Amino acid sequence: MIKGVLIGFAIMLILAVVPIVHFIGIPFGPFIGGYYGISAATENLSNPGRKALIFGAWTSLLSLIAAAIIIAIVDSVFDPAGDLRIILWGVVIVVPFYYGSMSGLGVWYAELKSKL
């Protein structure tokens, strides 16, 4: 499962970095990463919902770590004012929920589609 999560996370990062594609890649990158990343997962759990939950949780953890590191660097380098600092650290809360849920939906869609 971890191999699939890392592949899905790499897909999300690649889609976010490519110019012009990042307008679509950032919002839909977790879904696309989950859709293609689950094919690399070797665990054979019977329930697609359980696979989606586990994959989404791992993706959420990776995005939490990445967001916390990035925001900590920005916070220490630029020393933002009070309200901006709250918004920046709010990103650390929002990003893992969004990325985890979207990647879980991508996994769930891929698994349900494969069963048809």
Side-chain angles (χ1 to χ4, degrees):
M1 180 70 71
I2 298 298
K3 180 181 174 184
V5 171
L6 292 176
I7 289 173
F9 197 69
I11 290 171
M12 289 186 302
L13 293 177
I14 290 169
L15 287 174
V17 173
V18 177
I20 299 175
V21 175
H22 68 273
F23 291 116
I24 295 172
I26 291 174
F28 296 112
F31 185 86
I32 296 167
Y35 184 82
Y36 289 109
I38 195 63
S39 63
T42 57
E43 283 187 27
N44 190 9
L45 303 172
S46 61
N47 190 357
R50 183 175 175 184
K51 278 186 179 180
L53 184 66
I54 293 171
F55 195 96
W58 278 107
T59 304
S60 181
L61 179 67
L62 284 176
S63 64
L64 173 70
I65 293 168
I69 290 171
I70 291 169
I71 298 301
I73 291 170
V74 169
D75 191 26
S76 66
V77 170
F78 295 110
D79 195 30
D83 290 340
L84 185 57
R85 180 171 281 148
I86 292 171
I87 293 171
L88 282 174
W89 284 102
V91 168
V92 175
I93 296 169
V94 172
V95 165
F97 283 115
Y98 178 77
Y99 274 46
S101 63
M102 286 298 285
S103 66
L105 286 173
V107 168
W108 202 0
Y109 179 71
E111 287 295 309
L112 292 177
K113 187 177 176 185
S114 70
K115 291 194 182 239
L116 292 178

